[in-house]
Structure formats: structure tokens, C-alpha cells
Amino acid sequence: MTTNGTLQADSLSPSPFTYYRGRVGLYALLKALGIGPGDEVATQAFTCVAVPEGIMAAGARPVFVDLEPGGLNLSPDDLRRKLTPRTKAIVVQHTFGIPARIDLVMSISSERSLPVLEDCCHTHHATFHGQRLGTFGAGSFCSYEWGKPVVLGVGGSIEVNDPELRHRIDEQYRKFSAPPPARAIKVAIQKIVFDALLSPRTYWMLKDGFRRLSRAGMVEGNYHPMGEGKISDDFRWRMLPALERNYRREFTQRVSAFTSHSRWISAAYSAGLHSGAAQIPLVPAGAEPVYARYPLLVADKARLVSRAREQGIEVSDWYSTPVHPLVESEWPLVHYEAGSCPEAEIRVGQIVSLPTYGRVTLKHVEKLMTVVNE
Ligand SMILES: *Cc1c(COP(=O)(O)O)cnc(C)c1O
């Protein structure tokens, strides 16, 4: 990391603005920007349903931008094509901790005087030309649910860089209240189970269990199907108080711990990868990723994932649709039009990702690379 990058990254501290989820932070930013019905917000395909949900909760319409060839982040060329007179903001996602072409996005946005919001749900420490992600746009948002670099249970936070926007967020924050205590109990139990069990060896068991319980409404899942004009209670709430206390106490230290572990494990994956077995997605020049998960593009995704499941070792298949986890018949719910982002539709068939969190050891890396290199 450059000297500048270290300085920027080390200045990372807990945000005063925390929310029930990451998508609620996005919603808060959009509302504070005055965005609502009749407006469009550009965001990339190859994302999680949380993003269009946040946009639609504000009353606006998501417009999906395609990926760069070979990459997992938005194509600045396609962004230009998708802007209309109704576009009021650009959401730029730094997928898996790989910095997007934020320089080009910022110059497109300034030509059009559009605010940029950075989706930093996969990254706290990655930099672009030495500057920490999350500090380029008017604001940024993060998430603390399962699979993110810092797991609290559920939760989100925002950083606000634009002083005027910060003033409006300050005013608006009073309108968000604490979630009901029943939520806290549910999330606390989930957290205890995950903390006790989660490792690359228990991934499949937990994933299957979580999915079943989530369908039964017994755990906090991450998908709330919503119709137009409806808004879930989640969008009125701050972070759960118990989680917020952990966040204040542990955030800075846990980001540093994740960053160094992820760098070490990612280097081991990279060293263990046989050429030709898989491809590493595009990383733009000047970008220093910190991988939330180590992404690989493979020729036979279904076979690799089922091999990993047989071997009982963690390989994730997300995103498996352009707006994860929505299946094609659900795409119209979030205004995603089939065929509108061909690169994203190709990438969902190629992507797998390997874990980089604290419990991943070199033994797991070895086992995983054996499966990948086959
Ligand atoms: C997890 C995630 C979010 C937000 O998730 P919440 O469940 O709302 O906390 C947003 N964007 C991306 C890319 C994510 O992976």
C-alpha cells in the first residue's frame, strides 16, 4: 500500500450513522439527496437485491448498467449509455473488494452534476491510486451481515463526504428508531450459532440450514420481496443497539484484522492457482483490492461448485443471477430487463468465490486449490 493509502485507510473509524441494514443506509442517502418517485438511479447488474430494494424504497427506479468485459464492476461506457435526463444518482459497487473505475465514474458524474454513492459492502480498506474507497463519492454505505468483511449479524453504516449532504443526514437521522427487541433476540441467536460454527468446512451445512430457516421466517434472511410502493419496516430502523455497541468497540480493529488476513490468504490462492484452471477477474491499473472473497472465473461453474459440495469445502456461487438471488421470473420486480446487461449475464455463469475470512487456514487453501485446479 502507498503511504497515502495507509494514511487514508488508517483514518477509518466507526461512523456516527448506523442503520438496520446496508440497504437502509443507501435509502437514507438517496432520501437525503431528495431522490424519489420519477427519478432513476444507475446501478450495476451483478449485484445483490439489497441495492435495488434500497433504491425502490426511496421511490426511485433502478437502471442497470452492464459490467466491464472480463471484470465484476460497472462499465463506464455502458454507464454513459444508460444515463437519461431522469437519472439523479449513480451507485458504484466495488465488487468483492475490487475497486471499480471510480476515476472514470467521477468524471462522468461531474459532467452531469450527478452525485455518486459508493457501495462499499465488500470493502473497507481497498484503495484506488492510494485513496481509500468510500471517500470518492458524495457518500458510501457498508453492510455487516454474513459474508461481509466485518460480520456483526445484520447492520449497515454510511460515510458522508459531502458537507451539505452530511448536514441533511444529521437532520434526517432522528427519524430512524431502534428496531423492536424481538429482532435483537433473533439476530443474537443467529450470531451465536454462526460464531460457533462458521468455517470453510461447515459452509454447506450452514448455508442449507440458513436457507430453510429463512424460508420459515425463523432467521433474518436477506431478501424481502416487495411490490411497488410498499416499504418494509426495516427502512425505518437504526442498527440494533447491541450490535452497534460491538461496532463502536471493534470496527477499526476488525477491519485491520480482516485486511491482513485477506491479503495473506489471497496471495496463497494466487500462488496455488495453476495457469489455465481459472481466470482472475480484471483489476484496473492503480487499484489495490482487498478481497472480501477471492473471485475466480471458471469454464464449468456447476461442476466446480458440486465438486466442492461433495468435498465439504466452501466455494460460493454468488452472484448466480444479475440481481442475486432473483430468478428470471422475478427480474421485473426490480426493473431488470433480460438481455439488458449481457456481460453480467455471462459473468453469473463463470463466477465462483473462495473465502478469505479469519478462520480460513493454509490447509483450507490447499484443499480448495486442489478442487479448483482439477
Ligand atoms: C450485502 C450487500 C448489500 C447490503 O446488504 P444488507 O443486507 O442491506 O445489509 C448491498 N450491496 C452489496 C453489493 C452487498 O453485497
Side-chain angles (χ1 to χ4, degrees), residues 13 30 72 85 104 139 141 159 195 274 290 304 332:
S13 55
L30 293 169
L72 305 178
L104 297 180
F141 58 100
E159 281 192 86
D195 283 353
H274 293 175
V290 176
L304 174 53

Side-chain angles (χ1 to χ4, degrees), residues 20-24 46-48 50-51 93 119 121-122 141-146 148 154-156 221-222 318-319:
Y20 190 62
R21 288 173 174 278
R23 71 196 77 179
V24 183
F46 197 80
T47 189
C48 152
V51 176
Q93 174 178 306
D119 181 339
C121 291
H122 300 175
F141 58 100
C142 288
S143 168
Y144 304 99
E145 69 177 344
W146 325 111
K148 309 295 154 116
V154 292
N222 49 21
W318 53 283
Y319 299 127

Side-chain angles (χ1 to χ4, degrees), residues 162 180 234 272 277-278 288 311 323 349 356:
D162 179 85
D234 293 16
E288 283 198 84
Q311 304 268 318
V323 190
T356 58

Side-chain angles (χ1 to χ4, degrees), residues 61-62 64 322-323 328 331-332 334-342 345:
R61 182 188 170 103
F64 291 93
V323 190
E328 189 161 353
W331 293 350
V334 293
H335 307 284
Y336 182 78
E337 204 181 303
S340 65
C341 296
E345 291 179 21

Side-chain angles (χ1 to χ4, degrees), residues 146-147 194 197-211 293 305 308-309 311-319 324 352-355 357 360 364 368:
W146 325 111
F194 267 76
L197 295 180
L198 187 66
S199 92
R201 283 303 196 171
T202 55
Y203 171 79
W204 291 104
M205 177 195 81
L206 283 168
K207 183 175 162 150
D208 293 342
F210 190 79
R211 196 162 275 182
R293 301 186 57 84
V305 172
R309 187 188 261 273
Q311 304 268 318
I313 187 105
E314 175 172 353
V315 169
S316 166
D317 68 343
W318 53 283
Y319 299 127
H324 192 88
V352 296
S353 66
L354 313 180
Y357 54 83
V360 182
H364 297 130
L368 276 162

